Each structure stands twice: as C-alpha cells, then as structure tokens.
Amino acid sequence: MIRKKIDIKITFNCNNKCDFCAQGAKRTFIERKTKSEVIKALKDGIKSQANSVVFTGGEPTLHPDLIELIKEAKRLKYEYIQLQTNGRTLSDMSFLKKIKSAGANEISPALHGSKPEIHDKLTNADNSFNQTIKGIINSKKLGLYVLTNTVITSLNYKDLPQIAKLLTYLKVDQFQFAFVHIIGTAWEKREWIVPKKSKVMPYLKKALDIGISKGIKCYTEAIPYCFMKGYEECVAEKIIPDGPVVDAEVFVENYGEYRRNEGKLKHKKCKKCVYFKICEGPWREYPEIFGWDEFKPVITK
Ligand code: SF4
C-alpha cells in the first residue's frame, strides 16, 4: 500500500526541552491548534487522498483533545494513524490503551541515548529516559508498530551502537537515526551540538549493523549517499512519503519538495556524483559550519 501522508503539528507544548529542538521557541507563542482546526486539516487530507496521518508537535500527547482527534482520524478512514512522540506519557498504560482503542496504530517515540546520563541531558528533563523506555515497552506490549527516531548530536554519536543494542533488545519494529537539523534550538546551540558527519559514520555504521543483523528495518536521515557506501538501502529519504505539513502558522503543501528545494543543498561538484538525481544533500546549514570537504562525489556504484 503506497502511503500518502499528512503531518499535523497539533501542539507546541512539550514536557521535554531538547537541545536540538527544531521547533525552537514556537511553544512560547502558540500552544496548540484547536480541535476544529485539526479536524479541518484531517478532512482536507482525505480530500487530497491521504491515507496516513502523523500527529506531531511539540508533544502531541499533551493535546487535551488527542483521543477525540484520533477517533476522528479513524472515522475518516485513515489507515495509518501515527503519533510522533517523546514517548513519556505512554509510560501510563491506561492512557496508551485509550490511544490504541481510539484508533492509533503506529507509535514513533524518540530515544536519544542508551542511558539517562545521555538522553536526559539532551532532553533537559529528569526521568525522561525511564519514561520513554516504559512507553516503548508498553507500546510493544499492546502490539503497536513502533518506529523510533534518534537525533544524532555531538553528545550521543558515540553511543549510537549502544542505542541500537537497546532498541533491538526492546524489539522495536524500525529505527531511524536522523542527523541534527540545525534550526530552532539546535541553531542557537550550533557551536557545540553539531558533530562532523565523518566522525559520526563509524559509530553509525556499527549501529546499523546491529539492527540489520537482527532483521530490523534501519534508516538514516540527512546523511547523503557519499557517506553511506554499503548502506545505501538505509537512506530514509528514498522512502519518506511526500505530503503536506500543517505547521504553526504555515501550511507546507509538499514537505518533500520543500526539503529538496529549500531545506537541503548540494554543491556544484555533486553534479559528478552518480547519486546526484536521488540525493537531497545535507541540510543547508551544515556546510555553513563545516564546508563541503567531507562530501566526495561517488563516481561508480
Ligand atoms: S550528490 Fe553530493 S551530497 Fe549527494 S552523495 Fe553525491 S557528493 Fe554526496
């Protein structure tokens, strides 16, 4: 089944305060969308033939109308109803059961370290690691599809293999390592939070090997093909469905196009690369910090 996705940021409120938060200060000027605004976005999605909705934020589970919004998505016959969450509130099994019975079938929790010393430091929230892990365990217990996301930063890149070990132990269905997008809070902290991709790669490849050896679907995001020799199948951009994003005050008609044309960038030397047509390049802020020396056009596959 081909997915046609709509991504709705239903609240900017959050119980974490991540050092890499791409939403930056949005929580200070817009708390959440109203129930009727979200329902309208859901109906518009159906009109444009979307079959998949991602409720995201901020932390979507903090929206007071979340359960009703999931029920509405189900009523409108969305096949895939996903929560992109930090997972903390899912440590409460009774709340998670309500989420599942309302119709959500995929949970995408964010895990940024294999231990509290790393995860809680990045989220600036005590006990967030324990709650996120409990949320993952609960989601698996209820038979929900669990696909995790880990943001790669200078604080956790050496920990990626340990994170992969933990995720395989928890039997998640899919995991993704996304290179930090240097906007929002990450832009403010860019002097220390962004690692060099070439330093990250040995740890990232080890982490992918751990997941692949256990038959888990593993992906990376914002790591171009020239870093991914032998791991090209893990490049997430190939499988991320295009679709609209309903953001705080803007509606992005097609986030995939935005990402390829504005968010990311390629260098003129990229024209020599065999992946030029399918590669999106790095987020454009990365070469502003580290330049283009690490990016080496691939001449043969
Ligand atoms: S097109 Fe450029 S960024 Fe993409 S893989 Fe090739 S050299 Fe790397």
Side-chain angles (χ1 to χ4, degrees):
M1 166 71 65
I2 294 175
R3 288 206 187 196
K4 189 149 192 271
K5 187 180 80 154
I6 173 163
D7 182 313
I8 311 176
K9 299 187 187 303
I10 62 175
T11 179
F12 291 95
N13 191 6
C14 190
N15 46 356
N16 280 353
K17 214 165 180 259
C18 298
D19 283 328
F20 48 77
C21 182
Q23 304 306 329
K26 280 183 198 165
R27 69 179 86 187
T28 61
F29 63 87
I30 173 165
E31 193 187 349
R32 61 175 174 257
K33 294 203 175 295
T34 63
K35 190 166 133 191
S36 54
E37 283 172 330
V38 180
I39 290 176
K40 183 182 176 309
L42 285 168
K43 288 182 175 164
D44 289 347
I46 290 291
K47 277 186 212 149
S48 65
Q49 266 139 35
N51 61 357
S52 165
V53 58
V54 180
F55 289 116
T56 177
E59 173 49 38
T61 64
L62 299 182
H63 195 294
D65 301 314
L66 177 72
I67 301 297
E68 286 171 66
L69 295 171
I70 296 172
K71 282 184 183 164
E72 183 64 13
K74 173 94 177 161
R75 194 187 67 75
L76 288 166
K77 301 205 181 332
Y78 279 93
E79 255 172 89
Y80 304 98
I81 302 173
Q82 184 185 119
L83 285 187
Q84 207 171 82
T85 167
N86 61 36
R88 295 181 64 188
T89 63
L90 311 185
S91 58
D92 175 352
M93 188 54 133
S94 60
F95 179 53
L96 183 58
K97 281 182 178 168
K98 283 185 202 156
I99 286 173
K100 187 185 174 190
S101 10
N105 46 22
E106 295 183 341
I107 303 291
S108 181
L111 185 74
H112 307 298
S114 68
K115 46 191 171 196
E117 291 81 346
I118 298 176
H119 180 90
D120 292 5
K121 188 161 176 21
L122 278 164
T123 60
N124 292 293
D126 288 347
N127 207 27
S128 58
F129 174 81
N130 291 334
Q131 289 178 330
T132 298
I133 294 292
K134 186 88 193 294
I136 293 174
I137 293 170
N138 285 348
S139 302
K140 284 299 299 175
K141 265 191 198 153
L142 291 190
L144 291 154
Y145 189 86
V146 177
L147 53 159
T148 61
N149 186 48
T150 301
V151 176
I152 302 169
T153 68
S154 54
L155 271 192
N156 66 356
Y157 76 88
K158 290 185 180 166
D159 191 41
L160 295 177
Q162 294 306 318
I163 296 173
K165 270 188 201 160
L166 176 57
L167 292 171
T168 54
Y169 174 76
L170 295 171
K171 296 195 167 42
V172 304
D173 299 281
Q174 178 179 319
F175 57 71
Q176 171 176 286
F177 298 113
F179 196 83
V180 57
H181 189 179
I182 317 159
I183 57 173
T185 311
W187 175 255
E188 286 163 29
K189 304 193 178 194
R190 64 191 177 282
E191 279 183 10
W192 65 266
I193 203 161
V194 189
K196 270 197 106 162
K197 286 183 202 262
S198 47
K199 281 195 175 169
V200 168
M201 287 319 292
Y203 299 94
L204 178 57
K205 288 184 173 174
K206 229 182 238 177
L208 293 172
D209 285 340
I210 290 166
I212 292 166
S213 72
K214 299 284 180 197
I216 295 175
K217 290 186 202 161
C218 305
Y219 294 100
T220 62
E221 202 192 332
I223 312 264
Y225 288 89
C226 47
F227 293 87
M228 292 290 287
K229 189 161 176 51
Y231 296 82
E232 293 84 353
E233 285 309 305
C234 300
V235 172
E237 283 82 350
K238 277 201 300 209
I239 58 145
I240 304 174
D242 281 0
V245 171
V246 185
D247 205 331
E249 288 162 323
V250 289
F251 173 77
V252 183
E253 176 93 33
N254 184 333
Y255 188 72
E257 268 177 24
Y258 162 79
R259 208 176 58 223
R260 289 184 288 273
N261 300 333
E262 292 179 51
K264 292 185 178 169
L265 192 67
K266 284 179 275 187
H267 189 265
K268 59 179 188 299
K269 69 182 170 184
C270 291
K271 286 191 182 144
K272 287 190 278 184
C273 179
V274 288
Y275 292 108
F276 181 70
K277 280 198 180 136
I278 56 168
C279 177
E280 297 184 358
W283 291 116
R284 61 170 55 240
E285 296 79 11
Y286 183 87
E288 283 176 27
I289 299 174
F290 292 118
W292 286 98
D293 288 355
E294 294 168 286
F295 297 82
K296 310 250 188 274
V298 180
I299 303 305
T300 50
K301 280 191 188 173

